[in-house]
Amino acid sequence: MASSVLEATRAAHEDLERLERLAVRELQRDPANARDRLFQSHRVRHMLDLVVSTSDKLVEIYEDKDGARKDEISTHLTAPVQSDIFPKYYERLKEIRDYHRRNHSARFVSETDDYEELLKEEPAIEFTGEEAFGRYLDLHELYNEFINSKFGSLMEYSAYVGTFAQTEKIAHNLKATRPYKEYLEHILEYLMSFLYRTEPLQDIEKIFTKLESEFEEQWINGEVPGWENKGTEKESVLQESAVDLDYYSTVEELVELGPEKLKEGFNCSWIEGWWHCSTAC
């Protein structure tokens, strides 16, 4: 069928209108319970994702980098002289009729067809048993990582849940280690995953932009919990020079320290080993 680019443009605009109407209908419905409310949010999130992807296709069509849209308009919708416009129109109408005559299965898809299924689907959301469908955090893996690390300490799981965010209680020299950095990355990864699953309509990027801005301001003003008083110059030097080589297991990790820090780490290890040897002897 002719005018495929223009037909794709029309269909994309129609899809956008249908998705917008469906999203409004879904949000106007009052969920029966918390589970239904979560399903509603994920359904709307899916619709918004479809709106974004369809809009991207339209932008690509209108940019017309390959000139296909311009050529199609020139071929089917324009004429060298005014008197040729109606013949072009009837020629196009004949093509449409011939197409539908040859393709009896082709039908008009109304807004009550495929897109209506979006209002009936039950999104597949993965939660662990401990998360109870988004009601609680499941911190067991992070808890095991914490109590088995040098920066952590033994405690009950219930106590960890109430204190895992209190990082200001961890010593500065322990915070400078790779395991602690990886531990924080695991916390962030889990909390972001939990937020995506329980609050799919939240603008995560906007939230993080605000948090980063607030953190930068607090850091400049010395108001970050646990870092209000960074210590005297002597203490800072001691903390920075304290390199525990036991934390590093590959050559690449050691290279990241830099030559000076690596030299200090080896010197400290040699001195400590010599001290243990001499006392044992």
Side-chain angles (χ1 to χ4, degrees):
M1 183 177 178
S3 299
S4 59
V5 176
L6 297 180
E7 178 62 22
T9 305
R10 182 206 62 76
H13 279 291
E14 186 177 88
D15 289 343
L16 287 178
E17 293 178 1
R18 291 179 183 175
L19 288 167
E20 290 171 359
R21 288 196 296 268
L22 287 174
V24 170
R25 282 178 54 189
E26 180 65 14
L27 290 173
Q28 288 176 337
R29 186 180 60 82
D30 189 21
N33 48 52
R35 186 187 186 91
D36 189 25
R37 183 177 294 105
L38 184 58
F39 282 157
Q40 180 190 62
S41 297
H42 276 273
R43 279 192 289 266
V44 174
R45 176 75 264 172
H46 181 47
M47 294 175 196
L48 293 178
D49 290 340
L50 289 174
V51 167
V52 172
S53 61
T54 304
S55 298
D56 289 340
K57 292 179 183 178
L58 277 173
V59 170
E60 185 177 349
I61 290 174
Y62 284 121
E63 286 178 347
D64 197 23
K65 293 181 179 179
D66 59 357
R69 182 172 181 271
K70 180 180 179 182
D71 292 343
E72 197 165 283
I73 292 175
S74 176
T75 301
H76 298 284
L77 300 181
T78 60
V81 294
Q82 190 72 13
S83 59
D84 292 336
I85 291 180
F86 283 106
K88 283 276 186 180
Y89 167 78
Y90 287 112
E91 179 184 344
R92 176 78 181 97
L93 180 60
K94 182 177 182 299
E95 289 178 358
I96 294 174
R97 287 175 173 172
D98 289 343
Y99 172 82
H100 286 284
R101 190 179 297 112
R102 294 192 304 270
N103 299 274
H104 299 287
S105 59
R107 63 185 179 85
F108 172 73
V109 181
S110 70
E111 64 178 32
T112 60
D113 288 320
D114 298 341
Y115 281 105
E116 286 290 320
E117 297 299 320
L118 295 176
L119 298 177
K120 302 175 184 178
E121 70 176 9
E122 191 170 284
I125 314 169
E126 294 186 2
F127 287 108
T128 66
E130 288 79 4
E131 288 173 329
F133 210 77
R135 295 176 60 192
Y136 307 106
L137 296 174
D138 181 5
L139 303 177
H140 284 84
E141 290 187 10
L142 297 170
Y143 165 71
N144 290 327
E145 184 177 354
F146 178 80
I147 63 174
N148 289 295
S149 67
K150 291 188 177 182
F151 54 81
S153 59
L154 291 176
M155 62 174 66
E156 295 293 332
Y157 176 73
S158 57
Y160 173 78
V161 172
T163 60
F164 82 97
Q166 299 175 3
T167 56
E168 66 274 10
K169 295 182 178 180
I170 299 176
H172 289 188
N173 62 315
L174 296 176
K175 291 181 179 179
T177 61
R178 171 179 285 270
Y180 180 74
K181 177 184 177 183
E182 292 176 347
Y183 168 71
L184 290 185
E185 289 174 348
H186 295 160
I187 291 180
L188 180 61
E189 181 181 351
Y190 172 73
L191 293 179
M192 287 182 62
S193 168
F194 189 81
L195 186 59
Y196 276 120
R197 286 176 290 149
T198 57
E199 297 289 343
L201 296 181
Q202 288 284 354
D203 189 340
I204 306 297
E205 292 184 3
K206 183 177 180 180
I207 292 175
F208 270 88
T209 299
K210 181 181 179 182
L211 289 175
E212 290 174 2
S213 176
E214 292 176 351
F215 175 82
E216 292 294 337
E217 183 178 353
Q218 290 178 344
W219 181 261
I220 293 173
N221 297 330
E223 298 174 350
V224 177
W227 295 92
E228 299 89 344
N229 181 8
K230 301 179 180 62
T232 63
E233 182 178 351
K234 181 178 179 181
E235 291 173 339
S236 299
V237 171
L238 288 174
Q239 290 168 3
E240 291 180 2
S241 63
V243 179
D244 190 343
L245 297 178
D246 291 339
Y247 281 126
Y248 304 91
S249 57
T250 65
V251 175
E252 290 75 13
E253 293 175 359
L254 291 173
V255 170
E256 291 181 6
L257 289 174
E260 295 300 324
K261 297 278 288 184
L262 191 58
K263 181 179 178 181
E264 293 171 0
F266 278 118
N267 287 338
C268 291
S269 297
W270 182 84
I271 292 172
E272 183 182 1
W274 174 84
W275 183 82
H276 282 298
C277 180
S278 61
T279 53
C281 295

